[in-house]
Amino acid sequence: MIDSQNILDTAAVISLALLCLSFALTIFRVIRGPTLPDRILALDMLVATAIGFIAIIGIKTGFTLYVDIAIALGLVGFLATVAFARFIMARGHVREREGHPEEYTLQENSDG
């Protein structure tokens, strides 16, 4: 008969491997872009991946303190994403300067 602890250990190893792959692909998206919102979503995904790592380690070790850490990290990650979203909205519309196509200016958002 198969021991349940072996199944749990195997599932944890597979989960950690998939989370490592997810982490690597997300780092690629943070570096590559192409836009600022893509990078911000990738950073939010990094937080979610880190929460996954913490949860798997908590399951493997049996310490319930890791659940509290994961919840706190989730709250901080959510607040950071909201702050980045507000930053993007506050930037306004981007337009090219006349005569200098490589430089950009920021217009104030006319919504208030």
Side-chain angles (χ1 to χ4, degrees):
M1 228 177 172
I2 298 177
D3 186 21
S4 62
Q5 188 62 37
N6 288 338
I7 293 173
L8 185 63
D9 289 340
T10 303
V13 168
I14 291 170
S15 299
L16 288 173
L18 290 174
L19 284 170
C20 284
L21 177 65
S22 171
F23 194 81
L25 291 173
T26 306
I27 290 291
F28 174 75
R29 182 51 57 196
V30 168
I31 294 169
R32 184 84 170 143
T35 63
L36 183 60
D38 290 328
R39 289 185 171 104
I40 291 170
L41 285 175
L43 288 173
D44 192 41
M45 183 64 191
L46 283 177
V47 171
T49 305
I51 291 170
F53 276 118
I54 291 169
I56 296 298
I57 291 171
I59 290 170
K60 279 185 70 82
T61 60
F63 291 127
T64 58
L65 179 65
Y66 287 119
V67 175
D68 297 333
I69 294 170
I71 290 171
L73 182 60
L75 290 172
V76 170
F78 172 74
L79 292 175
T81 302
V82 169
F84 279 134
R86 287 185 58 102
F87 169 72
I88 288 175
M89 289 185 68
R91 280 182 58 193
H93 301 286
V94 177
R95 65 178 172 89
E96 291 185 25
R97 282 190 189 168
E98 294 179 37
H100 301 287
E102 68 275 359
E103 296 180 20
Y104 295 96
T105 61
L106 299 176
Q107 293 179 347
E108 288 189 23
N109 196 352
S110 62
D111 294 337

